[in-house]
């Protein structure tokens, strides 16, 4: 169950027939329409599967009907819980594309072995994304371009970078 | 209201000078600028700029599709927080 991804939170029940309103964390919520099952729980370890009856996506939120959740009492009991999907059900990645959750926490190391710190945040800009590397001395902003990010090794938890002059 | 076409795009003199200097020396160092109002011109393509957002310099690699926009558009001034969810990041190619 460790490969479950948090994709939203149930914020309230809607109506009397067990419908749930969910705040979505998804960039492409269309993925949910193809899912048959979703995991719900306070944490991913305690999440249990529910079968999806219908999903309606509306901007950053969605309305979710689950099989077995038929009234407001049952839906109210789920308010505050998180929604999870297995990572394998998410979109396939293209070349040089990574999930944020894989990049966050990686250790940035220069090509000559100098440790810069961990990637704490990602700033999406209109152009390239920027990885915020919190080092012991100062914060370093790394543009997500091939000239700077030389290797992303998710298994070893390392990001090999070449710092540009003036960064 | 859009800027008059007659005047052409606005680029700060100091920034033009920095781009010309980088062109002349063939250097690929990051060009630091505070000029968020300057328009991205075709001469800036291929260079990395550090655009000030009021607090720090955000590194911006300029590509062709950014020409005509202002530098400030690529250097957000508000801190962005979000759940990772299924968000993706892509390394830009040169």
């Amino acid at each position: 169950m460790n490969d479950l991804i948090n994709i939203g939170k149930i914020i309230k029940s809607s109506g009397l027939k067990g419908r749930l309103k969910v705040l979505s964390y998804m960039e492409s919520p269309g993925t949910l329409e193809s899912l048959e099952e979703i995991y719900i729980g306070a944490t991913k370890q305690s999440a249990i599967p529910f079968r999806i009856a219908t999903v309606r996506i509306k901007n950053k939120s969605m309305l979710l009907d689950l099989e077995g959740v038929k009234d407001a009492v049952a839906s109210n009991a789920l308010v505050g819980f998180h929604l999870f999907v297995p990572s394998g059900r998410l979109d396939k990645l293209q070349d040089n594309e990574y999930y944020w959750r894989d990049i966050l926490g990686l250790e940035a190391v220069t090509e000559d072995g100098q440790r810069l710190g961990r990637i704490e945040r990602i700033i999406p800009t209109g152009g390239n994304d920027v990885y915020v590397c919190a080092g012991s001395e100062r914060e370093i902003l790394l543009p997500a371009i091939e000239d700077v990010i030389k290797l992303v090794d998710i298994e070893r938890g390392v990001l090999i970078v070449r710092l540009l002059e003036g960064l | 209201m859009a800027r008059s076409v007659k005047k052409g795009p606005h680029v700060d003199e100091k920034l033009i000078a920095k781009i010309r200097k980088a062109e002349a020396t063939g250097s690929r160092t990051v060009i630091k600028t505070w000029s968020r109002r300057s328009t991205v011109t075709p001469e800036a393509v291929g260079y990395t700029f550090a655009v000030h957002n009021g607090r720090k310099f955000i590194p911006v690699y300029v590509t062709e599709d950014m020409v005509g926009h202002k530098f400030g558009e690529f250097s957000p001034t508000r801190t962005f927080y979000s759940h990772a969810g299924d968000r993706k990041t892509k390394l830009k190619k040169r």
Side-chain angles (χ1 to χ4, degrees):
Chain A
M1 286 299 170
N2 285 331
D3 64 340
L4 292 178
I5 309 301
N6 185 353
I7 54 129
K9 186 180 181 183
I10 299 169
I11 48 175
K12 65 175 191 174
S13 64
S14 174
L16 300 173
K17 293 185 179 171
R19 184 166 285 171
L20 298 163
K21 189 169 184 183
V22 174
L23 175 67
S24 170
Y25 304 151
M26 296 187 81
E27 198 174 30
S28 45
T31 314
L32 269 187
E33 286 170 343
S34 61
L35 288 180
E36 292 167 358
E37 206 171 53
I38 199 159
Y39 291 77
I40 296 178
T43 62
K44 63 173 127 178
Q45 285 77 19
S46 63
I48 52 170
F50 282 84
R51 287 190 72 79
I52 297 174
T54 59
V55 187
R56 269 177 55 204
I57 295 159
K58 199 176 172 188
N59 300 329
K60 287 291 285 177
S61 64
M62 54 192 171
L63 293 169
L64 192 65
D65 287 313
L66 300 171
E67 287 180 14
V69 181
K70 295 288 179 199
D71 56 31
V73 176
S75 60
N76 274 325
L78 295 174
V79 172
F81 283 171
H82 294 276
L83 267 64
F84 302 91
V85 292
S87 58
R89 302 303 303 267
L90 296 177
D91 296 342
K92 292 273 179 287
L93 295 171
Q94 296 170 355
D95 280 352
N96 279 339
E97 200 174 44
Y98 305 93
Y99 283 114
W100 273 31
R101 60 190 160 84
D102 293 334
I103 297 289
L104 293 170
L106 293 187
E107 173 120 39
V109 181
T110 59
E111 286 173 311
D112 49 4
Q114 187 195 346
R115 288 170 189 272
L116 301 174
R118 291 200 178 276
I119 307 297
E120 283 205 329
R121 266 187 324 118
I122 297 176
I123 305 172
T125 68
N128 52 269
D129 285 346
V130 175
Y131 302 158
V132 181
C133 173
S136 53
E137 291 169 23
R138 66 186 179 104
E139 189 180 80
I140 301 169
L141 302 179
L142 302 166
I145 56 176
E146 283 185 338
D147 284 357
V148 174
I149 311 294
K150 289 294 174 188
L151 179 74
V152 180
D153 192 340
I154 294 166
E155 285 175 13
R156 280 175 50 213
V158 174
L159 199 71
I160 307 291
V161 301
R162 179 184 292 169
L163 291 179
L164 295 176
E165 250 182 88
L167 261 184
Chain B
M1 190 177 166
R3 180 182 165 88
S4 161
V5 176
K6 181 174 77 175
K7 295 182 202 170
H10 169 77
V11 188
D12 269 340
E13 291 291 331
K14 281 185 179 177
L15 185 58
I16 294 175
K18 283 180 183 177
I19 296 170
R20 295 223 170 110
K21 190 179 169 193
E23 270 176 354
T25 57
S27 126
R28 287 278 159 185
T29 57
V30 177
I31 300 171
K32 217 174 205 184
T33 180
W34 282 259
S35 179
R36 298 172 59 82
R37 62 183 182 172
S38 291
T39 307
V40 178
T41 55
E43 293 85 58
V45 172
Y47 290 98
T48 305
F49 292 81
V51 184
H52 201 243
N53 73 351
R55 196 162 68 89
K56 53 193 171 190
F57 291 93
I58 305 290
V60 176
Y61 176 70
V62 175
T63 52
E64 273 178 25
D65 51 355
M66 290 156 74
V67 171
H69 291 264
K70 308 286 188 211
F71 277 99
E73 291 178 56
F74 306 104
S75 175
T77 57
R78 312 286 169 104
T79 309
F80 177 81
Y81 288 104
S82 167
H83 287 273
D86 67 338
R87 281 185 169 272
K88 299 178 206 94
T89 174
K90 191 167 188 177
L91 300 186
K92 264 199 165 183
K93 285 183 183 173
R94 201 172 250 283

